[in-house]
């Protein structure tokens, strides 16, 4: 797998999540790892995985990552698995998977790779019931819109991480048509509960505020 060294400061933290359960830490400015579907960049298609423990009684409902890409993107493929073993190439059991609409913030050009930009990505996913205290693997890949698109996920040293495990050098990647492999790096990825929705009372307060503004304008 191709690794690209960069010198970008960490710009994404767990604050991007309303309710983070596990976040592996900010971009450390040291590397990017291929993670994409639908393109042949970096010599193939890759999904990157990190292990995490789900310490919540709520459903999983959101994901996040610091990503790099040669162009803007709008969708991210995600998976949650159990029992993966990169040493033996065992993909384990698929718990849930899907394609989510990506909310991205362009953080600027990689200083050493001018055709790539750094992006902060968050996305809502379909609610997934996970066992409180259970161990899982989160997989992600940018969905490409063209055959030459290239993208990936940045590395992390665990700064501003939430939950566990952090900085355990136990990630892995699956290359389409080749197989599952272990790596000794950590990836800037995370998973959390669903984004909060304003309660009905909050909508009522907002509506009342609008009425007050209208009345003031009439006066």
């Amino acid at each position: 797998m191709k690794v690209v060294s960069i010198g970008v400061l960490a710009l994404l933290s767990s604050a991007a999540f309303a309710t983070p359960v596990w976040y592996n830490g900010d971009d450390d400015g040291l590397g990017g790892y291929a993670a994409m579907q639908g393109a042949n960049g970096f010599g193939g298609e890759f999904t990157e995985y990190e292990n995490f423990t789900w310490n919540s009684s709520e459903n999983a409902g959101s994901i996040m990552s610091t990503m790099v890409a040669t162009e803007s993107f709008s969708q991210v493929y995600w998976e949650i698995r159990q029992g993966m073993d990169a040493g033996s190439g065992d993909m384990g059991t698929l718990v849930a998977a899907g394609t989510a609409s990506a909310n991205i913030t362009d953080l600027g050009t990689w200083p050493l790779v001018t055709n790539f930009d750094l992006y902060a990505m968050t996305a809502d996913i379909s609610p997934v019931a996970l066992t409180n205290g259970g161990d899982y693997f989160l997989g992600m890949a940018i969905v490409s819109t063209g055959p030459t698109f290239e993208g990936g996920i940045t590395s992390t040293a665990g700064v501003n991480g939430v939950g566990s495990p952090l900085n355990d050098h136990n990630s892995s990647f699956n290359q389409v048509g080749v197989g599952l492999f272990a790596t000794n790096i950590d990836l800037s990825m995370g998973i959390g509960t669903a984004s909060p929705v304003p309660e009905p009372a909050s909508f009522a307060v907002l509506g009342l505020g609008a009425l007050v503004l209208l009345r003031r304008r009439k006066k």
Side-chain angles (χ1 to χ4, degrees):
M1 185 177 356
K2 184 175 181 178
V3 178
V4 182
S5 296
I6 59 173
V8 178
L9 294 175
L11 296 173
L12 178 66
S13 72
S14 57
F17 261 159
T19 314
V21 173
W22 171 78
Y23 171 58
N24 210 28
D26 294 340
D27 164 38
D28 60 10
L30 296 178
Y33 299 82
M36 62 203 158
Q37 288 192 344
N40 293 318
F42 291 139
E45 297 184 9
F46 298 85
T47 300
E48 298 285 347
Y49 297 88
E50 273 285 3
N51 58 312
F52 70 95
T53 300
W54 183 254
N55 289 315
S56 174
S57 59
E58 298 184 54
N59 291 341
S62 54
I63 56 174
M64 70 182 299
S65 181
T66 310
M67 295 179 162
V68 289
T70 53
E71 61 187 58
S72 179
F73 56 95
S74 61
Q75 292 185 313
V76 171
Y77 174 75
W78 60 273
E79 290 185 350
I80 299 173
R81 291 181 176 269
Q82 276 191 303
M84 288 180 65
D85 183 358
S88 64
D90 185 359
M91 293 295 294
T93 302
L94 180 65
V95 175
T99 300
S101 296
N103 301 307
I104 61 174
T105 301
D106 192 336
L107 302 177
T109 303
W110 274 16
L112 300 179
V113 188
T114 56
N115 62 321
F116 282 82
D117 273 18
L118 183 69
Y119 295 91
M121 187 287 299
T122 61
D124 293 329
I125 63 174
S126 302
V128 182
L130 301 177
T131 301
N132 191 355
D135 294 323
Y136 298 89
F137 294 81
L138 174 64
M140 283 193 211
I142 296 172
V143 177
S144 171
T145 57
T148 60
F149 178 87
E150 294 181 352
I153 299 174
T154 65
S155 60
T156 179
V159 176
N160 293 320
V162 174
S164 65
L166 302 177
N167 198 30
D168 65 350
H169 307 294
N170 190 32
S171 63
S172 55
F173 70 92
N174 182 46
Q175 183 176 3
V176 173
V178 180
L180 181 67
F181 300 90
T183 63
N184 61 354
I185 48 87
D186 296 287
L187 299 171
S188 180
M189 299 165 60
I191 186 167
T193 55
S195 301
V197 177
E199 298 178 0
S202 300
F203 284 115
V205 171
L206 289 172
L208 179 60
L211 287 174
V212 171
L213 289 173
L214 287 173
R215 287 176 63 87
R216 286 179 177 175
R217 286 185 177 182
K218 286 182 179 181
K219 289 181 180 181

